Amino acid sequence: MYLPCKTGSGLPERGAGLPSRAVRVKPTDWAGVHSYQIPGQWELEPAYAGNITGNRTGVLDIFLKALKWPTGDGGYHLRARGFVAFMSINPPEHWREHYTFRNPPEVATRLRLFLRSAEGGWQREVAVEFAYDKCQRRAWEPGFDFEGCVAEMKAEAPYWSNLGIIDLDFGPAETVDPNFLLLVDGWPRHVSLKAQLQARGGAAAASAARPRPQLLRAFPYFHTVDAVKTARLIHWSHRYHNPLGFDGVIMYVLPKDVRDMEAHKGLRALMADGRLTLVEWDEFPWHEGWRDFDLQIVESHAVLSQWGRHVRLLIVDPDEFFVPATSRDTVARMRGPGGCLAPLREECVMVVRRDIFPRKLPVDPPPDEASWWLGGQFPLRRYRFASDPPLPPKLLLNPNKVFPIDVHFSGICTGSAEVADNSSAAPLRSGCTSRAPCSWAKEDCAWIAHVGNMVRGAAGLTGRETCQINA
């Protein structure tokens, strides 16, 4: 067994090849994901504006993927799924150095997104749904009313929200007219979906040749670690995770770092073998001091890119490692009959995370942790102490079933989208209008080890409460 101490943790008690051989791709031309931008403005929400008056001006970014989706009776419906993010021209009122993107309150209170049939002459409002971290964090509590919490959060608007999900069903793929527009009520601009819907593809499904889903990890770009170190880290990480059953990696990388990443011999081998795809991410202009502000968008883009594929994704950073509590266990065995993950919902599992350290107290100089990964030994065995209490979790999920993720949390869509037509004046129901919480994995099943000091020096060790790891 290899797991952190069991006391004082505050943890819940219950709870084939990459999709493309292209090794470096753009986020807007890979896996069928398109992005649209609609500029506009809203009057500031009074509850959050304080003494500030005026409007919130910016661009609504819409990321969308369309597919022919099997209906189970031999037919297909044309479907689209995506998410929305509003980019303000000015920094938000709650700006801080380590700001991570959130939708401003006006998205929850004022956004009315419409789908218009250019040929049919009708339009319907599109339901934009949000996952609520407050509810997800407490879902493991015995007797917790998850549905009541969601209803309460919807009634509490306005609030700073995570990414809103769009889930559309256009009806039978063989007969639908693809000439649809998306527009925001009161804004003069719109975008056409016709070209994307015309270029629809087929959704992947399980086959006899590949009965288990691919198991992939998705990494956001590392803004605070240079590309050379990141490349070595990804190579070491793959050597560790491959025996656990992970098939490959999707790595988001800034354009300035691509050449250094591709220069690493080990990464070149992984790319040649189809086990590593670099997604060259350069979607948003930088604002001084906004470190990794688009992390939520990057990770949700990774999930959306795999919508319709027979895969499972572990969303982690390059310096985070999946640790089965039972030595030599694999994810497939953990998911199989009698495995510790088998009783949990397969759509989304939250895996607890801890910082790990080689020493309980700071030492001078710190050990050269990076050197431990050069040999053939099991490097995590050298770590004896972990942060206590644990850190927010990371997610192992089915991209066909979840909301956009908010770095540490998501939710499961349990409904079905209403077919878009002019039969009603009510907003089009989303498949995510009804939802369920993600499951929590117990630490005696698996956890995530964050080896931050391997690439960042001895930061974060001083003054940190730790517990001893059972080796």
Side-chain angles (χ1 to χ4, degrees), residues 293-323:
F293 85 102
D294 55 352
L295 180 61
Q296 181 182 167
I297 299 169
V298 171
E299 294 183 339
S300 293
H301 183 279
V303 174
L304 182 61
S305 75
Q306 301 306 300
W307 178 64
R309 298 187 184 276
H310 188 46
V311 305
R312 300 295 181 267
L313 275 180
L314 179 65
I315 311 292
V316 287
D317 293 340
D319 58 356
E320 292 177 333
F321 295 78
F322 184 86
V323 183

Side-chain angles (χ1 to χ4, degrees), residues 351-368:
V351 186
V352 164
R353 185 172 55 109
R354 291 180 185 263
D355 288 332
I356 60 174
F357 309 103
R359 304 281 191 274
K360 187 173 183 179
L361 297 174
V363 292
D364 187 23
D368 181 13

Side-chain angles (χ1 to χ4, degrees), residues 140-162:
W140 61 272
E141 297 177 7
F144 177 67
D145 183 4
F146 179 79
E147 293 183 358
C149 180
V150 170
E152 178 182 324
M153 289 298 296
K154 286 187 175 184
E156 279 184 2
Y159 41 74
W160 291 86
S161 63
N162 50 14

Side-chain angles (χ1 to χ4, degrees), residues 158-462:
Y159 41 74
W160 291 86
S161 63
N162 50 14
L163 302 173
I165 192 170
I166 304 172
D167 186 32
L168 297 169
D169 187 335
F170 297 96
E174 294 74 18
T175 58
V176 66
D177 188 312
N179 194 4
F180 284 95
L181 311 174
L182 278 179
L183 58 142
V184 176
D185 184 47
W187 292 6
R189 305 277 291 276
H190 66 262
V191 294
S192 172
L193 306 181
K194 183 176 180 179
Q196 184 180 13
L197 297 183
Q198 285 177 326
R200 58 189 181 264
S207 66
R210 188 161 58 85
R212 75 165 180 88
Q214 283 181 277
L215 189 57
L216 306 177
R217 290 174 299 141
F219 296 155
Y221 63 82
F222 242 16
H223 179 55
T224 55
V225 179
D226 71 71
V228 175
K229 286 183 177 180
T230 301
R232 292 200 303 263
L233 187 54
I234 294 170
H235 186 235
W236 296 333
S237 178
H238 175 77
R239 284 166 46 194
Y240 166 81
H241 282 95
N242 187 238
L244 300 180
F246 288 90
D247 299 299
V249 173
I250 302 166
M251 175 71 196
Y252 285 70
V253 58
L254 298 177
K256 67 182 181 63
D257 295 329
V258 169
R259 284 179 177 265
D260 288 336
M261 298 283 284
E262 292 179 330
H264 188 277
K265 181 179 178 180
L267 293 197
R268 289 201 305 272
L270 292 178
M271 289 187 280
D273 194 34
R275 292 185 175 273
L276 172 64
T277 293
L278 299 181
V279 181
E280 189 175 330
W281 182 261
D282 194 23
E283 280 294 283
F284 305 107
W286 288 96
H287 189 289
E288 190 66 31
W290 287 31
R291 192 200 77 174
D292 302 341
F293 85 102
D294 55 352
L295 180 61
Q296 181 182 167
I297 299 169
V298 171
E299 294 183 339
S300 293
H301 183 279
V303 174
L304 182 61
S305 75
Q306 301 306 300
W307 178 64
R309 298 187 184 276
H310 188 46
V311 305
R312 300 295 181 267
L313 275 180
L314 179 65
I315 311 292
V316 287
D317 293 340
D319 58 356
E320 292 177 333
F321 295 78
F322 184 86
V323 183
T326 301
S327 180
R328 298 183 179 86
D329 216 343
T330 67
V331 177
R333 283 198 291 265
M334 297 164 75
R335 283 286 196 192
C340 61
L341 292 177
L344 307 182
R345 299 196 66 132
E346 66 86 22
E347 301 99 326
C348 180
V349 175
M350 295 183 289
V351 186
V352 164
R353 185 172 55 109
R354 291 180 185 263
D355 288 332
I356 60 174
F357 309 103
R359 304 281 191 274
K360 187 173 183 179
L361 297 174
V363 292
D364 187 23
D368 181 13
E369 298 179 47
S371 67
W372 299 346
W373 294 80
L374 299 177
Q377 301 298 315
F378 182 46
L380 294 183
R381 293 290 186 194
R382 295 185 180 234
Y383 294 84
R384 292 289 181 261
F385 296 91
S387 57
D388 190 34
L391 305 172
K394 290 299 178 79
L395 298 168
L396 176 63
L397 52 82
N398 179 345
N400 296 334
K401 302 290 187 178
V402 296
F403 280 82
I405 69 171
D406 187 12
V407 184
H408 303 291
F409 298 96
S410 183
I412 302 170
C413 301
T414 59
S416 57
E418 178 184 357
V419 174
D421 57 27
N422 63 346
S423 62
S424 170
L428 284 166
R429 184 187 66 250
S430 165
C432 300
T433 300
S434 61
R435 79 276 304 277
C438 299
S439 296
W440 283 88
K442 295 181 180 179
E443 265 187 295
D444 58 5
C445 175
W447 57 288
I448 301 292
H450 177 223
V451 199
N453 287 356
M454 182 168 63
V455 292
R456 304 176 195 270
L461 184 58
T462 304

